[in-house]
Amino acid sequence: MPTAAVHGLAHAGTAFAVETSQSSPADYTPVSGAVRGRVGDTVAVRLGVTNLGPGSPDTGSFAVVPPPGTTVTSIPWEGDDDDRRYSCRPPQDGENHFFLCDLSYLGAPSPESSSTIVFHIRIDKQIPGAEGNIAVYGPSDPVPGNDVEAIPVEAAPAPLWRWQNPLWCWQHWAPALGVLVLGMSARRWLVGRRRFDG
């Protein structure tokens, strides 16, 4: 069977190859969503592919590049008792940071329908403007211009009781402790000075 490579992910030079079928072409477009939550939260985001038609190929794929400051903790299989952590192939090396999901295993969508799966994504830090992306591939896709979609992050600060809250960071406590010690020393000096002058 022929293979095809898809480019245009967040990391330059990234490509992935999948086997294609000779079935009718379909216009695949991504199903994306925002990663919304507080720092330290693990949120569920449903990602995948919509088939805009006209064909109904039995294969294809999509690749997900997680947003900076996040971690994909699991992509559980749906509808069975499989306890594997990932239903999509995780990154294979340090240069290719995408999860590759094969529609021949997940189920390729028929025209005007979608095939999606839930990604569990942990928000590790708050990075303004952070975005990942999802890129889809279908055999002989007639509209390649709609094959990539952003995955934005809408992260709020961690609540006070979480270790990710900046208040629990030693880098913040050290200067505060130094200021406190200086303040106490200055107060002792002022009290001693008043007694001496009196």
Side-chain angles (χ1 to χ4, degrees):
M1 288 194 177
T3 60
V6 174
H7 299 267
L9 300 178
H11 302 277
T14 297
F16 59 93
V18 295
E19 290 190 346
T20 67
S21 69
Q22 301 298 329
S23 55
S24 300
D27 179 14
Y28 278 171
T29 189
V31 175
S32 186
V35 181
R36 296 187 180 94
R38 292 179 173 271
V39 173
D41 285 352
T42 296
V43 299
V45 182
R46 187 167 285 277
L47 304 171
V49 173
T50 293
N51 180 357
L52 301 179
S56 184
D58 57 4
T59 189
S61 65
F62 63 93
V64 173
V65 177
T70 69
T71 300
V72 175
T73 59
S74 66
I75 312 169
W77 285 92
E78 298 180 0
D80 58 29
D81 296 326
D82 197 319
D83 61 356
R84 282 182 292 171
R85 186 178 181 186
Y86 296 118
S87 57
C88 300
R89 191 181 74 183
Q92 299 299 293
D93 54 58
E95 296 298 322
N96 297 310
H97 303 282
F98 59 84
F99 289 78
L100 179 61
C101 303
D102 190 339
L103 292 176
S104 63
Y105 294 108
L106 301 179
S110 57
E112 307 303 325
S113 67
S114 301
S115 179
T116 61
I117 195 160
V118 173
F119 280 63
H120 293 173
I121 303 176
R122 186 181 65 235
I123 303 173
D124 298 321
K125 61 177 69 172
Q126 192 176 21
I127 301 178
E131 284 188 346
N133 63 42
I134 173 173
V136 303
Y137 173 77
S140 304
D141 190 328
V143 188
N146 64 355
D147 289 350
V148 180
E149 190 72 40
I151 303 173
V153 178
E154 299 174 11
L160 181 61
W161 59 86
R162 284 193 182 152
W163 67 267
Q164 294 98 334
N165 191 294
L167 289 175
W168 302 110
C169 223
W170 70 268
Q171 292 96 330
H172 295 170
W173 278 101
L177 184 60
V179 170
L180 181 62
V181 169
L182 286 174
M184 292 177 66
S185 298
R187 184 175 180 277
R188 286 197 190 108
W189 183 85
L190 285 173
V191 170
R193 182 74 179 177
R194 284 174 186 167
R195 287 176 180 170
F196 179 79
D197 291 342

